[in-house]
């Protein structure tokens, strides 16, 4: 009997220990699980907080984004359109291979002006009228050119450069606009002389920002200047986003350029793209790029007319067109844009024409958005 009681007692004691251990393990598992969840939420909150404090992103027209990290604004490649990143990758690779532009020949005045403003040295550029008298003064003929004096060789026209002078110069690379790819045949003698030719993106107004970011990431000559440019661009785009978001109705626009006479701008050109990305409707879309017929403009009757000089030599013609629009008895008097005073000559006392590879693209965006959306 004692043996039976002893066995029962041992059995009860064993069950008690098992139940106790099971309960303790369950409690520990629940505690660990709760702690893991808490840590997960904490990590998530910390990550979100860090992202908010470190990066402030500004996106424009679904295409291009800027981000601010530690007070410095740069292009946000991750949140920009895919083609932006693709172009950047090509430029980053090429600029990294070059290392420096000091022995580069530039095939477009707009690119030469950009590099000059950024303080980037190069050895050849097209003959051009420019804002920068110093740059003009440094351009020499092949007979006058001197590397020792940091001269810049004048290679003539970007459309038909002086190939003999370029070949004699022997630059590391000849950089020309991708908009002139159709003229690449004219550059074949340069390439045959073992001078690399490289098309620089210049067909979209966003290309300027891609070029600047690639320069920023591959050289150390213009960092502070580019950070300041990006900061200004971000502020302009924030204003554009704000004003266009508050727009009460759609706006129509006709975009013209002045080359002797007012002319219809080809679809896809930078100023048209800017206007369209601001939400404006181009009433001349699909029209043949040609001299403007007053009847066409009167028939379309846009809310706004935006126009600019094709080159510095067309400023007088631009002023003449402005006077025609201002004439109360003139041929354009019936236009809504004329009655409302909504005709906008782009530029100011410093410039009248520009290209997509031009820091003044930022000024153009600012001028268009403030004159079309700023007064609502």
């Amino acid at each position: 009997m004692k043996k039976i009681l002893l066995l029962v007692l041992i059995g009860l004691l064993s069950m008690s220990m098992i139940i106790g251990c099971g309960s303790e393990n369950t409690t520990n598992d629940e505690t660990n699980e709760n702690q893991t969840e808490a840590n997960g939420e904490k990590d998530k909150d910390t990550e979100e907080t860090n992202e908010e404090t470190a990066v402030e992103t500004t996106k424009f027209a679904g295409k291009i984004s800027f981000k601010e990290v530690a007070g410095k604004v740069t292009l946000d490649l991750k949140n920009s359109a895919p083609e932006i990143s693709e172009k950047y990758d090509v430029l980053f690779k090429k600029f990294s291979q070059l290392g420096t532009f000091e022995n580069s020949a530039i095939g477009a005045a707009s690119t030469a002006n950009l590099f000059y403003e950024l303080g980037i040295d190069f050895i050849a550029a097209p003959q051009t009228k420019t804002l920068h008298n110093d740059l003009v003064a440094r351009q020499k003929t092949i007979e006058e050119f001197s590397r020792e004096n940091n001269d810049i060789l004048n290679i003539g026209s970007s459309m038909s450069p002086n190939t003999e002078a370029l070949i004699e110069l022997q630059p590391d690379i000849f950089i020309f606009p991708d908009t002139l790819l159709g003229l690449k045949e004219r550059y074949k003698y340069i390439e045959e002389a073992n001078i690399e030719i490289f098309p620089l993106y210049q067909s979209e107004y966003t290309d300027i920002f891609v070029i600047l970011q690639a320069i920023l990431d591959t050289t150390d000559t213009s960092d502070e200047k580019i950070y300041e440019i990006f900061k200004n661009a971000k502020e302009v785009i924030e204003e554009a986003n704000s004003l266009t978001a508050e727009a009460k109705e759609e706006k129509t626009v006709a975009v013209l350029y002045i080359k002797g006479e007012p002319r219809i701008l080809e679809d896809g050109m930078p100023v048209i793209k800017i206007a369209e990305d601001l939400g404006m409707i181009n009433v001349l879309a699909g029209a043949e790029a040609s001299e403007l017929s007053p009847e066409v403009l009167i028939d379309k009757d846009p809310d706004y007319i935006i126009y600019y000089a094709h080159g510095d030599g067309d400023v007088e013609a631009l002023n003449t067109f402005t006077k025609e629009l201002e004439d109360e008895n003139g041929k354009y008097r019936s236009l809504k844009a004329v009655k409302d005073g909504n005709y906008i000559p782009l530029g100011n006392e410093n410039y009248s024409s520009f290209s997509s590879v031009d820091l003044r693209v930022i000024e153009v965006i600012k001028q268009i958005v403030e004159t079309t959306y700023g007064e609502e």
Side-chain angles (χ1 to χ4, degrees):
M1 186 67 178
K2 289 182 178 179
K3 288 183 179 180
I4 294 173
L5 290 172
L6 181 61
L7 289 172
V8 171
L9 183 61
I10 291 171
L12 291 171
L13 183 61
S14 298
M15 288 179 65
S16 175
M17 291 177 64
I18 291 171
I19 292 170
C21 288
S23 176
E24 183 178 348
N25 287 340
T26 302
T27 303
N28 287 341
D29 288 344
E30 290 176 352
T31 302
N32 290 337
E33 186 177 342
N34 290 338
Q35 186 64 45
T36 301
E37 289 178 359
N39 288 340
E41 289 299 322
K42 182 178 180 181
D43 291 342
K44 184 179 178 182
D45 289 343
T46 302
E47 184 179 320
E48 289 177 354
T49 302
N50 287 340
E51 186 175 347
E52 287 173 4
T53 55
V55 180
E56 179 189 342
T57 299
T58 298
K59 191 155 187 153
F60 177 61
K63 284 186 177 180
I64 192 163
S65 292
F66 292 95
K67 63 181 180 181
E68 183 170 345
V69 182
K72 292 183 177 179
V73 178
T74 60
L75 190 61
D76 184 357
L77 294 166
K78 180 180 178 182
N79 291 306
S80 293
E83 61 268 22
I84 302 291
S85 295
E86 290 169 7
K87 289 181 176 182
Y88 169 82
D89 290 341
V90 172
L91 294 186
F92 179 85
K93 182 179 179 180
K94 179 53 62 182
F95 292 174
S96 296
Q97 288 173 348
L98 279 175
T100 176
F101 295 97
E102 289 180 358
N103 200 41
S104 300
I106 309 300
S110 54
T111 310
N113 289 340
L114 171 65
F115 279 25
Y116 182 82
E117 288 189 60
L118 294 175
I120 295 174
D121 292 328
F122 50 92
I123 56 171
Q127 180 180 19
T128 178
K129 290 183 178 181
T130 173
L131 299 176
H132 311 292
N133 293 329
D134 291 344
L135 178 56
V136 173
R138 289 170 59 186
Q139 292 192 34
K140 307 291 182 182
T141 65
I142 189 66
E143 293 78 20
E144 300 169 328
F145 176 78
S146 167
R147 291 178 187 267
E148 289 73 21
N149 293 334
N150 294 321
D151 289 335
I152 295 174
L153 177 64
N154 181 349
I155 59 170
S157 164
S158 59
M159 300 289 285
S160 184
N162 185 335
T163 54
E164 292 82 5
L166 271 171
I167 291 169
E168 184 176 340
L169 184 66
Q170 280 296 303
D172 294 332
I173 193 169
F174 176 58
I175 300 172
F176 69 99
D178 67 338
T179 51
L180 298 182
L181 273 172
L183 305 176
K184 191 176 178 181
E185 181 68 18
R186 298 185 184 181
Y187 304 147
K188 68 178 182 179
Y189 298 110
I190 301 170
E191 201 166 23
E192 288 172 358
N194 294 320
I195 298 170
E196 180 183 4
I197 62 175
F198 178 72
L200 187 69
Y201 300 117
Q202 181 164 327
S203 54
E204 299 282 343
Y205 72 87
T206 52
D207 288 343
I208 178 66
F209 305 116
V210 182
I211 293 169
L212 289 173
Q213 188 65 48
I215 291 173
L216 180 65
D217 292 341
T218 56
T219 73
D220 56 4
T221 56
S222 317
D223 289 8
E224 293 307 316
K225 174 77 172 177
I226 293 174
Y227 285 136
E228 188 61 31
I229 292 167
F230 280 155
K231 180 182 177 183
N232 181 34
K234 184 172 181 288
E235 290 173 354
V236 168
I237 286 174
E238 284 174 349
E239 179 185 33
N241 288 343
S242 174
L243 290 175
T244 54
E246 296 170 0
K248 297 170 183 161
E249 56 187 23
E250 290 182 329
K251 301 175 186 291
T252 58
V253 63
V255 182
L256 310 170
Y257 73 102
I258 312 299
K259 189 177 182 182
E261 297 290 336
R263 303 184 69 85
I264 297 174
L265 201 59
E266 184 180 350
D267 286 354
M269 295 299 285
V271 179
I272 290 178
K273 285 286 190 180
I274 291 171
E276 289 176 342
D277 285 345
L278 288 168
M280 305 184 79
I281 298 171
N282 175 23
V283 297
L284 297 175
E288 182 181 352
S290 61
E291 188 172 318
L292 175 71
S293 164
E295 290 74 23
V296 170
L297 197 58
I298 291 169
D299 177 61
K300 298 297 183 181
D301 198 19
D303 298 323
Y304 293 86
I305 301 170
I306 297 174
Y307 55 103
Y308 63 97
H310 180 263
D312 292 339
D314 296 301
V315 174
E316 186 175 344
L318 180 143
N319 292 333
T320 298
F321 181 58
T322 300
K323 289 177 182 176
E324 289 178 353
L325 294 174
E326 292 172 342
D327 185 355
E328 294 180 358
N329 299 311
K331 52 191 171 186
Y332 298 110
R333 64 184 182 279
S334 65
L335 288 172
K336 183 177 187 300
V338 171
K339 291 177 181 178
D340 296 340
N342 291 332
Y343 42 92
I344 307 162
L346 294 181
N348 54 35
E349 67 277 6
N350 294 323
Y351 75 95
S352 57
S353 62
F354 66 97
S355 74
S356 55
V357 180
D358 193 322
L359 297 178
R360 293 169 297 190
V361 166
I362 302 166
E363 295 180 46
V364 169
I365 294 173
K366 184 178 179 67
Q367 186 177 358
I368 292 177
V369 75
E370 289 185 347
T371 51
T372 56
Y373 289 92
E375 298 180 358
E376 290 194 350

PDB file of all heavy atoms in Angstrom, residues 76 121 178 266:
ATOM      1  N   ASP A  76      17.453  63.771 -57.579  1.00  0.00           N
ATOM      2  CA  ASP A  76      16.983  62.521 -56.971  1.00  0.00           C
ATOM      3  C   ASP A  76      16.724  61.523 -58.100  1.00  0.00           C
ATOM      4  O   ASP A  76      15.635  61.470 -58.659  1.00  0.00           O
ATOM      5  CB  ASP A  76      15.706  62.800 -56.171  1.00  0.00           C
ATOM      6  CG  ASP A  76      15.215  61.564 -55.417  1.00  0.00           C
ATOM      7  OD1 ASP A  76      15.841  60.499 -55.565  1.00  0.00           O
ATOM      8  OD2 ASP A  76      14.213  61.664 -54.701  1.00  0.00           O
ATOM      9  N   ASP A 121      37.518  73.984 -67.516  1.00  0.00           N
ATOM     10  CA  ASP A 121      38.417  74.336 -68.619  1.00  0.00           C
ATOM     11  C   ASP A 121      38.241  73.385 -69.803  1.00  0.00           C
ATOM     12  O   ASP A 121      37.991  72.191 -69.626  1.00  0.00           O
ATOM     13  CB  ASP A 121      39.875  74.291 -68.154  1.00  0.00           C
ATOM     14  CG  ASP A 121      40.190  75.393 -67.144  1.00  0.00           C
ATOM     15  OD1 ASP A 121      39.578  76.471 -67.260  1.00  0.00           O
ATOM     16  OD2 ASP A 121      41.027  75.170 -66.255  1.00  0.00           O
ATOM     17  N   ASP A 178      23.552  66.047 -78.960  1.00  0.00           N
ATOM     18  CA  ASP A 178      22.861  64.903 -79.562  1.00  0.00           C
ATOM     19  C   ASP A 178      21.828  65.355 -80.590  1.00  0.00           C
ATOM     20  O   ASP A 178      21.398  64.575 -81.431  1.00  0.00           O
ATOM     21  CB  ASP A 178      22.209  64.015 -78.495  1.00  0.00           C
ATOM     22  CG  ASP A 178      21.064  64.697 -77.766  1.00  0.00           C
ATOM     23  OD1 ASP A 178      21.018  65.946 -77.751  1.00  0.00           O
ATOM     24  OD2 ASP A 178      20.222  63.989 -77.185  1.00  0.00           O
ATOM     25  N   GLU A 266       8.516  73.661 -83.447  1.00  0.00           N
ATOM     26  CA  GLU A 266       8.288  72.230 -83.658  1.00  0.00           C
ATOM     27  C   GLU A 266       7.867  71.554 -82.354  1.00  0.00           C
ATOM     28  O   GLU A 266       8.366  71.880 -81.273  1.00  0.00           O
ATOM     29  CB  GLU A 266       9.582  71.588 -84.177  1.00  0.00           C
ATOM     30  CG  GLU A 266       9.464  70.122 -84.520  1.00  0.00           C
ATOM     31  CD  GLU A 266      10.771  69.545 -85.035  1.00  0.00           C
ATOM     32  OE1 GLU A 266      11.702  70.342 -85.304  1.00  0.00           O
ATOM     33  OE2 GLU A 266      10.864  68.319 -85.171  1.00  0.00           O
TER      34      GLU A 266
END
